[in-house]
Amino acid sequence: DTYDPGVTAPGVYTYYVTDQQVSGDLCESPPTEITLTINPIPDQPTISRNNPDFCFNGTSSITLTANPHSPPAVSRYQWYRNGNLLPGDTNNTLNVSQVGNYYVEVTNSYGCSAYSDSVYIFMHKRPKAKIEGDGYYCSLPGGTIAFGLSTYTDANYSYNWYSDPPGAVFSPNNTSGTW
């Protein structure tokens, strides 16, 4: 036979079961104790991020932080990207430098787990300046030359002009337009 105690709340519950003959001398067995332990599941964690989506420059990243909203205390974190486990990424923070859907699994000391909703990280393509002008001039060593460079003007971008080797003067300084 089976018995459903109907409890779902975390806790320790003690039950007893006996066997009894249904015919004959109707003998009953001594009770057998059964202990049911229901451990708490962690609350669903949330993920916060330190920056919005960004343009990846080879060194920048976004930091994701798991917020477990517990008790009970979380004993383990595991991060995933696009449904794949990220081996070794077991801290409450994760530095991200790749596009994808990220989520975290938190596990408490009872071995019960909960998963966050996923967070999508998007990285914009780095813009490429469109510069026009002649690229070849002749000058004596130590001489000075003037030449014109121009770039497409877009109010959504700012422009930072510089030279290699340093020393060129741009006028007006670091704005879009023609020099």
Side-chain angles (χ1 to χ4, degrees):
D1 287 338
T2 60
Y3 173 71
D4 181 357
V7 295
T8 58
V12 177
Y13 303 90
T14 304
Y15 298 94
Y16 300 90
V17 64
T18 61
D19 288 328
Q20 184 176 14
Q21 293 175 324
V22 292
S23 63
D25 57 13
L26 304 176
C27 292
E28 185 176 3
S29 70
T32 301
E33 182 178 300
I34 298 173
T35 302
L36 171 65
T37 303
I38 300 176
N39 294 315
I41 296 173
D43 289 338
Q44 182 182 27
T46 57
I47 297 175
S48 60
R49 56 197 290 168
N50 69 330
N51 287 314
D53 296 330
F54 66 103
C55 296
F56 184 63
N57 63 6
T59 59
S60 58
S61 64
I62 292 176
T63 300
L64 302 179
T65 302
N67 305 304
H69 307 292
S70 55
V74 170
S75 61
R76 186 176 72 86
Y77 296 87
Q78 179 61 62
W79 289 92
Y80 296 81
R81 183 171 74 84
N82 298 332
N84 298 311
L85 181 137
L86 296 172
D89 289 321
T90 56
N91 295 316
N92 70 321
T93 60
L94 178 69
N95 288 322
V96 173
S97 60
Q98 291 182 314
V99 171
N101 281 306
Y102 291 85
Y103 63 92
V104 67
E105 173 189 11
V106 295
T107 304
N108 63 23
S109 59
Y110 301 106
C112 301
S113 297
Y115 295 88
S116 70
D117 289 333
S118 64
V119 172
Y120 184 72
I121 301 299
F122 181 79
M123 286 173 237
H124 303 278
K125 288 183 179 180
R126 293 180 68 184
K128 183 173 182 176
K130 298 172 185 168
I131 301 172
E132 294 179 358
D134 294 332
Y136 297 97
Y137 293 89
C138 296
S139 173
L140 296 172
T144 300
I145 62 168
F147 57 93
L149 297 175
S150 65
T151 185
Y152 172 75
T153 302
D154 185 336
N156 294 315
Y157 295 94
S158 63
Y159 299 86
N160 183 26
W161 290 87
Y162 62 94
S163 65
D164 186 17
V169 177
F170 298 95
S171 177
N173 189 27
N174 290 330
T175 59
S176 57
T178 301
W179 287 265

